[in-house]
Amino acid sequence: MSTENEGNEVPKAPSAPPVPVDSPAASSQSPTAGGTEPTAPLPPVPHNAPTATGPHPGGPAPQAPGSAPDGSWPPPPPANPPYGEGQVYGAGPAGAPGGFGADGAGGAGGWGASYQQPAPKPRSGRGGLVAAVLVAALVAGGLGGGLGYTLAKDNDNNGSTTVSASDSGATQVKRAPGTIAHVAAKALPSTVTIEAEGTNGDGGTGTGFVFDTQGHIITNNHVVADALDGGKLTATFPNGRKYDAQVVGHAQGYDVAVIKLKNPPSDLKPLALGDSDKVAVGDETIAIGAPFGLSNTVTTGIISAKNRPVASSDGSATSKASYMSALQTDASINPGNSGGPLLDASGAVIGINSAIQSSSSGGFGSGQSGSIGLGFAIPINQAKYVAQELIKTGKPVYAKIGASVSLEDSSDGAKITDQGAAGSSAVEPGGPADKAGLKPGDVITKLDDMVIDSGPTLIGAIWTHKPGDKVTLTYKRGGQEHTTQLTLGSRVGDN
């Protein structure tokens, strides 16, 4: 798959879901076997962009293989493009260099996609275009109405038996529970449009939803990233109520953030959370967000796939990769839907919309990529755990195996590298992998029942678990297959 961000191609991504490794060595990307490519984060719409326009997701062009950079967390900013060549995600000692736990020799770069805010555009230009379109629509509507009345009048004179419903009847229509209209009516009051503005004036628009009655709102990390260092955050409800907000905690690796309303209202109604583990391919989905700045937009689709490995980046100078074993949906989501809820047919949240795959420009002729029916959401079971940790401590907690794995394009599995980043050990002494008997050169092919076809897939899969969880790893050594049980370790914070 190819994803666009500011018009750049994105490198390939694995076909299976990622599993968390100790921590990625640097912000890097790795193509997957099978010719598919990773998706880019669904960027927020610049707050100062014209109405109904916004940036689109995407990423840097695939990079040639090279040597792995230092695996410290956060990873050192890549030279050019944002994601360097030959970087490796693996697992390093807690607190030691290794970002997402990745140390070691690298494979081809390009796992993930960068996102850069486009230069602000004057409101008058796009606004004028949209206004012109609206005026044309209204004129066409008036003409159509006039013709319709004339034809109806003529038909009446010719003995037409057509009967029209009274206007008063329209107000009596009730939407049955389970219908899209009913679900949307219940969920919309608990969603917000988030505007984030940095101290330098940069920022964008995304979405969030009410998590509890204390005023906590869940959204994407990349939605609030611009406001992290002294910036400004606001959240606006569909009824027009607008509140200042502050970041409670954010997790770059998971791409989840929690903000809290200042002086929250007493009538907040949290959205019900579903069980993303029980979601099935083909289930109906409903997405709510602010695509291209159009707040309170509702779209529908189905679950197209589960456990889809996705890696993305916000494109900043210190950008680090985010990983998810995502729910894939064909519900139309676009830039500005970031952080919004993905609902099931009952109205329960099953995911947080976070990334899209896009192939061409769109968005009111703005040159920004839009939906082609390939959207990705963070499963709510994972997001709920992350949000609860952020509310309790302000810091994310990541599971790890304590081994460095290669990000080379391979369908054979996740290979533990011969050496970690900056000359460190590929297998953390005394760490989970070491205790389980894993060694450099071992190729991990399964985590429990999940097939592992690459390092990034392993990272995403590990991060669907919690520290302390016991997992069974299947691996190959010298052509022979082995299995071992491993208790996942933990790493606190993104740094």
Side-chain angles (χ1 to χ4, degrees):
M1 296 184 293
S2 66
T3 309
E4 295 182 0
N5 182 20
E6 298 309 311
N8 295 325
E9 252 183 62
V10 176
K12 301 179 179 179
S15 60
V19 180
V21 180
D22 178 4
S23 22
S27 44
S28 63
Q29 310 159 336
S30 169
T32 45
T36 57
E37 300 181 0
T39 62
L42 185 57
V45 178
H47 70 277
N48 54 358
T51 302
T53 64
H56 59 278
Q63 304 298 311
S67 58
D70 185 335
S72 60
W73 184 262
N80 183 24
Y83 283 86
E85 304 177 357
Q87 301 170 346
V88 173
Y89 290 98
F100 286 114
D103 308 294
W111 173 252
S114 66
Y115 163 67
Q116 298 181 4
Q117 297 283 1
K121 301 173 186 175
R123 290 184 178 275
S124 57
R126 188 70 55 198
L129 174 60
V130 175
V133 173
L134 293 177
V135 170
L138 290 173
V139 171
L143 177 60
L147 290 174
Y149 173 76
T150 300
L151 292 175
K153 182 174 183 295
D154 290 342
N155 286 338
D156 285 342
N157 293 336
N158 292 328
S160 172
T161 58
T162 300
V163 178
S164 299
S166 64
D167 291 339
S168 59
T171 61
Q172 305 302 316
V173 175
K174 292 184 178 180
R175 272 71 186 181
T179 62
I180 295 170
H182 184 266
V183 169
K186 289 187 63 177
L188 276 168
S190 297
T191 61
V192 296
T193 298
I194 298 172
E195 292 185 29
E197 182 177 348
T199 54
N200 60 356
D202 290 340
T205 299
T207 308
F209 61 92
V210 178
F211 184 62
D212 59 29
T213 57
Q214 284 71 51
H216 291 109
I217 305 290
I218 293 186
T219 186
N220 283 145
N221 174 79
H222 73 264
V223 168
V224 303
D226 285 315
L228 290 178
D229 299 316
K232 181 181 179 182
L233 273 178
T234 60
T236 305
F237 286 85
N239 62 7
R241 290 187 301 177
K242 189 172 186 176
Y243 298 87
D244 289 331
Q246 60 187 12
V247 177
V248 171
H250 62 102
Q252 169 68 41
Y254 293 121
D255 196 19
V256 173
V258 175
I259 66 175
K260 186 175 183 180
L261 304 179
K262 297 179 180 179
N263 301 314
S266 59
D267 60 348
L268 289 176
K269 294 182 179 179
L271 287 182
L273 304 184
D275 186 347
S276 51
D277 289 341
K278 295 181 179 179
V279 170
V281 173
D283 281 352
E284 290 181 312
T285 58
I286 302 169
I288 299 179
F292 295 106
L294 301 175
S295 300
N296 316 317
T297 294
V298 177
T299 55
T300 64
I302 63 169
I303 291 293
S304 305
K306 296 178 61 177
N307 301 322
R308 186 70 78 191
V310 173
S312 59
S313 155
D314 63 13
S316 63
T318 57
S319 180
K320 300 174 285 290
S322 298
Y323 288 86
M324 56 180 138
S325 187
L327 295 176
Q328 181 182 326
T329 180
D330 66 349
S332 180
I333 58 176
N334 290 283
N337 276 102
S338 290
L342 184 68
L343 310 171
D344 63 16
S346 72
V349 182
I350 54 174
I352 300 177
N353 299 317
S354 182
I356 60 173
Q357 190 76 31
S358 189
S359 63
S360 61
S361 63
F364 298 105
S366 64
Q368 298 162 8
S369 293
S371 173
I372 57 170
L374 293 172
F376 303 93
I378 303 165
I380 195 60
N381 289 6
Q382 179 181 13
K384 177 183 176 181
Y385 162 72
V386 176
Q388 290 172 335
E389 290 296 320
L390 293 176
I391 291 172
K392 284 195 319 188
T393 68
K395 296 181 179 180
V397 178
Y398 297 92
K400 69 171 186 177
I401 65 170
S404 168
V405 296
S406 172
L407 292 186
E408 289 183 338
D409 184 8
S410 168
S411 61
D412 297 331
K415 181 180 179 180
I416 298 179
T417 56
D418 294 326
Q419 189 176 56
S424 63
S425 175
V427 177
E428 174 189 339
D434 186 28
K435 291 179 180 179
L438 294 173
K439 298 179 179 180
D442 289 347
V443 180
I444 299 172
T445 57
K446 290 180 71 176
L447 186 149
D448 291 332
D449 294 327
M450 181 179 293
V451 175
I452 302 300
D453 63 0
S454 67
T457 298
L458 179 64
I459 297 172
I462 290 175
W463 282 355
T464 63
H465 292 77
K466 301 175 184 177
D469 283 354
K470 287 182 170 57
V471 298
T472 299
L473 294 180
T474 302
Y475 65 95
K476 291 182 179 179
R477 178 187 296 170
Q480 299 296 314
E481 188 172 88
H482 306 271
T483 61
T484 184
Q485 272 209 326
L486 178 149
T487 300
L488 297 173
S490 67
R491 175 176 60 80
V492 179
D494 283 321
N495 297 318

